[in-house]
Amino acid sequence: NERNRYIANLIEAKGFTIKDQPQWSKSSAGKKSGEIDIFVTENDGKPRSIIEALNLDSLKTDYLIEHLDKLFNYDTTGLENNYILSYATAKDFIKLWDKYKVFISKHKYIYEFIDFKENDDYNYADVKIGVAKHLRNGKTIHCRLFYYFGG
Protein backbone atom coordinates (compact mmCIF):
# COMPACT_ATOMS: atom_id res chain seq x y z
CA ASN A 1 0.00 0.00 0.00
CA GLU A 2 2.86 2.40 0.74
CA ARG A 3 4.36 1.87 -2.71
CA ASN A 4 0.99 2.27 -4.38
CA ARG A 5 0.37 5.48 -2.42
CA TYR A 6 3.72 6.82 -3.62
CA ILE A 7 2.80 6.05 -7.25
CA ALA A 8 -0.63 7.61 -6.73
CA ASN A 9 1.01 10.78 -5.37
CA LEU A 10 3.23 11.02 -8.46
CA ILE A 11 0.19 10.68 -10.73
CA GLU A 12 -1.74 13.28 -8.76
CA ALA A 13 1.21 15.66 -9.11
CA LYS A 14 0.67 15.41 -12.90
CA GLY A 15 -2.87 16.74 -12.50
CA PHE A 16 -4.93 13.56 -12.41
CA THR A 17 -7.32 12.47 -9.68
CA ILE A 18 -6.71 9.18 -7.87
CA LYS A 19 -9.23 6.92 -6.26
CA ASP A 20 -7.31 4.57 -4.00
CA GLN A 21 -8.75 1.05 -3.86
CA PRO A 22 -12.31 1.92 -4.91
CA GLN A 23 -14.98 -0.72 -5.41
CA TRP A 24 -15.56 -1.04 -9.16
CA SER A 25 -17.01 -3.43 -11.69
CA LYS A 26 -16.83 -7.04 -10.51
CA SER A 27 -14.36 -9.14 -8.59
CA SER A 28 -12.51 -12.01 -10.24
CA ALA A 29 -15.13 -14.38 -8.77
CA GLY A 30 -17.86 -12.15 -10.23
CA LYS A 31 -19.91 -12.16 -7.01
CA LYS A 32 -19.20 -8.65 -5.74
CA SER A 33 -17.45 -5.43 -6.69
CA GLY A 34 -13.71 -5.66 -7.27
CA GLU A 35 -11.19 -3.52 -5.43
CA ILE A 36 -8.92 -1.65 -7.83
CA ASP A 37 -5.43 -0.86 -6.58
CA ILE A 38 -5.31 2.59 -8.19
CA PHE A 39 -8.04 4.16 -10.31
CA VAL A 40 -6.96 7.22 -12.31
CA THR A 41 -9.51 9.78 -13.49
CA GLU A 42 -9.39 13.14 -15.18
CA ASN A 43 -10.22 16.08 -12.91
CA ASP A 44 -13.80 16.01 -14.23
CA GLY A 45 -14.19 12.40 -13.04
CA LYS A 46 -13.85 10.78 -16.47
CA PRO A 47 -12.07 7.40 -16.09
CA ARG A 48 -8.50 7.44 -17.43
CA SER A 49 -6.89 4.13 -16.44
CA ILE A 50 -6.65 1.33 -13.93
CA ILE A 51 -3.42 0.29 -12.25
CA GLU A 52 -3.10 -3.20 -10.82
CA ALA A 53 0.00 -3.76 -8.69
CA LEU A 54 1.61 -7.02 -7.68
CA ASN A 55 4.71 -8.40 -5.99
CA LEU A 56 6.88 -10.91 -7.84
CA ASP A 57 9.75 -12.90 -6.40
CA SER A 58 9.38 -15.54 -9.11
CA LEU A 59 7.07 -16.22 -12.03
CA LYS A 60 4.00 -17.48 -10.21
CA THR A 61 1.74 -17.88 -13.21
CA ASP A 62 -1.50 -18.36 -11.24
CA TYR A 63 -0.82 -15.15 -9.31
CA LEU A 64 0.05 -13.23 -12.48
CA ILE A 65 -3.03 -14.57 -14.31
CA GLU A 66 -5.23 -13.50 -11.39
CA HIS A 67 -3.96 -9.91 -11.64
CA LEU A 68 -4.09 -9.76 -15.44
CA ASP A 69 -7.66 -11.06 -15.45
CA LYS A 70 -8.65 -8.65 -12.67
CA LEU A 71 -7.36 -5.75 -14.72
CA PHE A 72 -9.49 -6.72 -17.72
CA ASN A 73 -12.55 -7.52 -15.57
CA TYR A 74 -12.37 -4.20 -13.72
CA ASP A 75 -12.33 -2.23 -16.96
CA THR A 76 -15.99 -2.11 -17.94
CA THR A 77 -15.61 0.68 -20.52
CA GLY A 78 -12.58 -0.36 -22.59
CA LEU A 79 -10.07 2.25 -21.46
CA GLU A 80 -7.26 2.81 -23.95
CA ASN A 81 -4.45 2.35 -21.40
CA ASN A 82 -4.33 0.25 -18.25
CA TYR A 83 -1.29 -0.72 -16.23
CA ILE A 84 0.28 -3.67 -14.46
CA LEU A 85 2.90 -2.50 -11.98
CA SER A 86 5.14 -5.33 -10.80
CA TYR A 87 7.43 -4.93 -7.84
CA ALA A 88 10.13 -7.56 -8.41
CA THR A 89 12.28 -8.95 -5.63
CA ALA A 90 13.79 -11.91 -7.46
CA LYS A 91 17.54 -12.44 -7.14
CA ASP A 92 17.91 -12.52 -10.93
CA PHE A 93 15.90 -9.51 -12.13
CA ILE A 94 16.63 -10.02 -15.84
CA LYS A 95 15.89 -13.74 -15.84
CA LEU A 96 12.50 -13.10 -14.24
CA TRP A 97 11.79 -10.26 -16.72
CA ASP A 98 12.59 -12.59 -19.63
CA LYS A 99 10.21 -15.25 -18.27
CA TYR A 100 7.59 -12.56 -17.63
CA LYS A 101 7.77 -11.30 -21.24
CA VAL A 102 7.35 -14.81 -22.64
CA PHE A 103 4.38 -15.46 -20.37
CA ILE A 104 2.71 -12.14 -21.24
CA SER A 105 3.03 -12.97 -24.95
CA LYS A 106 1.55 -16.48 -24.65
CA HIS A 107 -1.20 -16.01 -22.08
CA LYS A 108 -4.81 -16.44 -23.27
CA TYR A 109 -6.54 -13.15 -22.48
CA ILE A 110 -10.18 -12.13 -22.33
CA TYR A 111 -9.52 -9.92 -25.37
CA GLU A 112 -7.49 -10.95 -28.39
CA PHE A 113 -3.76 -10.48 -27.89
CA ILE A 114 -2.09 -8.60 -30.77
CA ASP A 115 1.54 -8.25 -29.67
CA PHE A 116 3.99 -7.29 -26.95
CA LYS A 117 6.84 -4.84 -27.33
CA GLU A 118 9.49 -3.96 -24.83
CA ASN A 119 10.21 -0.26 -24.55
CA ASP A 120 13.99 0.22 -24.72
CA ASP A 121 13.82 4.03 -24.58
CA TYR A 122 14.29 4.03 -20.82
CA ASN A 123 17.85 3.68 -19.57
CA TYR A 124 17.16 2.66 -16.00
CA ALA A 125 18.93 -0.46 -14.76
CA ASP A 126 16.14 -1.45 -12.38
CA VAL A 127 13.08 -0.66 -14.52
CA LYS A 128 11.68 -2.54 -17.51
CA ILE A 129 8.68 -1.36 -19.50
CA GLY A 130 6.58 -3.08 -22.12
CA VAL A 131 3.23 -2.75 -23.85
CA ALA A 132 0.83 -5.57 -24.64
CA LYS A 133 -1.74 -4.65 -27.29
CA HIS A 134 -5.17 -6.24 -27.40
CA LEU A 135 -8.21 -5.97 -29.64
CA ARG A 136 -11.41 -5.12 -27.78
CA ASN A 137 -14.56 -4.65 -29.85
CA GLY A 138 -12.61 -3.40 -32.85
CA LYS A 139 -10.41 -0.99 -30.85
CA THR A 140 -6.79 -1.45 -29.84
CA ILE A 141 -6.26 -1.20 -26.09
CA HIS A 142 -2.95 -1.28 -24.24
CA CYS A 143 -1.85 -3.08 -21.13
CA ARG A 144 1.29 -1.19 -20.12
CA LEU A 145 3.69 -3.15 -17.98
CA PHE A 146 6.07 -1.54 -15.53
CA TYR A 147 8.48 -3.95 -13.93
CA TYR A 148 10.50 -2.51 -11.09
CA PHE A 149 13.37 -4.23 -9.28
CA GLY A 150 13.78 -3.67 -5.59
CA GLY A 151 10.10 -3.78 -4.69
Side-chain angles (χ1 to χ4, degrees), residues 97 116-120 122 127-131 145-147:
W97 171 244
F116 174 82
K117 291 198 184 325
E118 185 172 352
N119 185 334
D120 294 326
Y122 293 88
V127 177
K128 298 292 183 186
I129 300 171
V131 179
L145 307 158
F146 288 83
Y147 178 84

Side-chain angles (χ1 to χ4, degrees), residues 19-131:
K19 295 183 180 184
D20 193 19
Q21 297 185 336
Q23 299 293 309
W24 186 265
S25 184
K26 59 185 174 186
S27 67
S28 54
K31 295 180 181 179
K32 58 182 181 173
S33 295
E35 188 174 281
I36 294 173
D37 289 335
I38 301 172
F39 189 50
V40 183
T41 67
E42 302 287 346
N43 285 332
D44 64 2
K46 179 181 172 188
R48 175 72 178 223
S49 61
I50 295 168
I51 300 172
E52 183 67 20
L54 57 136
N55 299 303
L56 288 177
D57 59 2
S58 64
L59 188 66
K60 297 176 182 146
T61 56
D62 289 345
Y63 177 69
L64 186 52
I65 289 168
E66 176 187 343
H67 285 275
L68 288 166
D69 289 352
K70 279 199 299 187
L71 183 68
F72 284 99
N73 284 330
Y74 290 162
D75 182 5
T76 58
T77 58
L79 299 168
E80 184 178 357
N81 294 292
N82 287 315
Y83 300 83
I84 291 282
L85 176 57
S86 300
Y87 302 107
T89 58
K91 290 179 183 168
D92 191 335
F93 175 69
I94 297 301
K95 185 176 180 181
L96 180 56
W97 171 244
D98 289 340
K99 288 180 181 180
Y100 186 83
K101 290 187 302 184
V102 169
F103 180 80
I104 291 296
S105 297
K106 293 185 177 184
H107 176 59
K108 299 293 181 208
Y109 295 90
I110 296 168
Y111 299 104
E112 180 185 343
F113 175 78
I114 299 171
D115 69 9
F116 174 82
K117 291 198 184 325
E118 185 172 352
N119 185 334
D120 294 326
D121 294 340
Y122 293 88
N123 292 319
Y124 302 111
D126 293 341
V127 177
K128 298 292 183 186
I129 300 171
V131 179

